[in-house]
Amino acid sequence: MNGITPPHWHLLGAGHIGTWAAGHLLSAGHRVSVVRATDAPIVNARLIDADSGDETRLRLPVASPAALSAPLSHVVVACKTPFTETALARCLLAADATVIRLQNGVGTLDGRLPAGACLIEAVTTAAVKGQRDRHEIVADNETWMGGPAARPGWFAGLSEHWPGLQWTAHIRHRQWRKLVANAVINPLTALHDVPNGALLTETPLAEHAAALAAEADRLLARIDPTWPGDSLAGVQAIARATADNTSSMRADMARGAATEIEAINGWLLRQADTCGLALPAHAAIAEAVRRQSGRIRQR
Ligand code: KPL
């Protein structure tokens, strides 16, 4: 471990992705506690490898917000984006805290961290599904971490235990690729209640997907002229690789939970506003998701 003591992470959001990340952190010798307002002292979770059927049982200590005595130095934010503010309000971050953001969307921590904090953005193509304490790893794929800061000392040891984990100094384009995939696949599959692969097989959805990807490319190229564009091919590749999957927004919508539309299409729309650009396809689909999810949540 290069003489580096692995950090003790506090996890905000022990859902599928948060628990999957905790499994990799623990296997590299890091400590992980879940910040949660509950009387239960332990979160029990099972991580199941969908290919081999191998099961790993995790026992994650709970750090109750009321009992947290010192500011947190290492935090993983993996909660659903609509709960970010509430989750952060439960804990006090150290002035120089290291924060890994492992969420869909972009910009959810903007203005919410201490000025001296080190933000590490994480982008993953891993797919994890299941129910309650059962987290089935469908694909471990690739995960990138990066940000303005230098690669932390603990990263090399962690990457030996986290398959597909890489550090990049250029995380922004990775984030944007994932953002565009989520901005196209998630709202379309949620509104039409279809698996991701329908974007390839149903012509009206394929056309709508192309329009959304092209609009996003126009905006991202305006913000960063080095943006290569051509997002549609990447979106289609993800739709193909996850053809039978239910997108997270479709799942959220179906169970009447808040969707991540504001962190995904909403972020694109806020950026477009700042640039004086119109994104009519994104504006329309974001509004349709807000309306449909509002109706379902009122039932
Ligand atoms: O990240 C996803 C999500 O559902 O949030 C995709 C890539 C669309 C896979 O379902």
Side-chain angles (χ1 to χ4, degrees):
M1 273 170 204
N2 310 331
I4 291 163
T5 307
H8 178 182
W9 295 96
H10 283 83
L11 175 62
L12 308 185
H16 293 317
I17 287 292
T19 307
W20 161 81
H24 289 317
L25 289 163
L26 290 171
S27 64
H30 295 221
R31 288 172 63 203
V32 181
S33 299
V34 177
V35 178
R36 186 179 279 182
T38 165
D39 290 337
I42 296 285
V43 171
N44 286 297
R46 291 181 299 145
L47 281 172
I48 292 129
D49 183 313
D51 287 335
S52 64
D54 288 353
E55 180 174 315
T56 309
R57 286 182 181 257
L58 304 185
R59 283 172 56 79
L60 301 169
V62 170
S64 134
L68 283 171
S69 50
L72 305 181
S73 63
H74 291 80
V75 174
V76 179
V77 179
C79 56
K80 288 277 187 173
T81 56
F83 305 112
T84 308
E85 197 171 354
T86 313
L88 283 174
R90 290 201 176 126
C91 51
L92 180 64
L93 301 192
D96 59 351
T98 297
V99 179
I100 298 178
R101 194 184 80 87
L102 186 49
Q103 296 178 302
N104 276 338
V106 174
T108 57
L109 297 182
D110 289 357
R112 293 194 165 133
L113 299 182
C118 164
L119 173 61
I120 296 174
E121 294 279 0
V123 179
T124 186
T125 56
V128 188
K129 64 178 191 181
Q131 279 163 355
R132 286 195 285 273
D133 75 331
R134 187 181 191 282
H135 309 277
E136 189 182 341
I137 304 166
V138 183
D140 226 336
N141 292 340
E142 288 177 300
T143 302
W144 294 272
M145 289 189 189
R151 197 170 82 140
W154 44 259
F155 188 85
L158 179 59
S159 61
E160 285 169 21
H161 295 269
W162 186 321
L165 178 64
Q166 299 161 62
W167 184 264
T168 172
H170 308 285
I171 192 75
R172 190 154 88 150
H173 282 192
R174 296 271 178 211
Q175 274 186 291
W176 285 2
R177 288 259 169 248
K178 175 94 196 282
L179 177 74
V180 180
N182 287 136
V184 174
I185 298 174
N186 293 20
L188 280 174
T189 54
L191 286 170
H192 295 274
D193 196 18
V194 289
N196 297 353
L199 268 57
L200 304 167
T201 54
E202 295 187 21
T203 306
L205 293 189
E207 286 172 1
H208 202 157
L212 288 165
E215 263 190 12
D217 277 341
R218 214 152 35 86
L219 169 70
L220 298 174
R222 174 79 73 90
I223 302 173
D224 177 354
T226 71
W227 176 244
D230 192 27
S231 289
L232 183 60
V235 172
Q236 289 169 335
I238 293 177
R240 198 168 302 115
T242 60
D244 297 332
N245 289 11
T246 285
S247 77
S248 54
M249 195 173 286
R250 180 184 180 210
D252 288 339
M253 187 102 98
R255 63 190 172 94
T259 75
E260 299 191 298
I261 197 76
E262 305 308 337
I264 301 174
N265 305 72
W267 183 85
L268 290 170
L269 289 164
R270 290 190 294 279
Q271 299 302 309
D273 254 1
T274 311
C275 300
L277 204 67
L279 301 183
H282 285 278
I285 204 159
E287 198 41 41
V289 168
R290 288 181 197 115
R291 260 189 280 114
Q292 189 156 317
S293 108
R295 269 199 304 272
I296 293 171
R297 300 183 78 197
Q298 270 171 9
R299 277 186 206 151

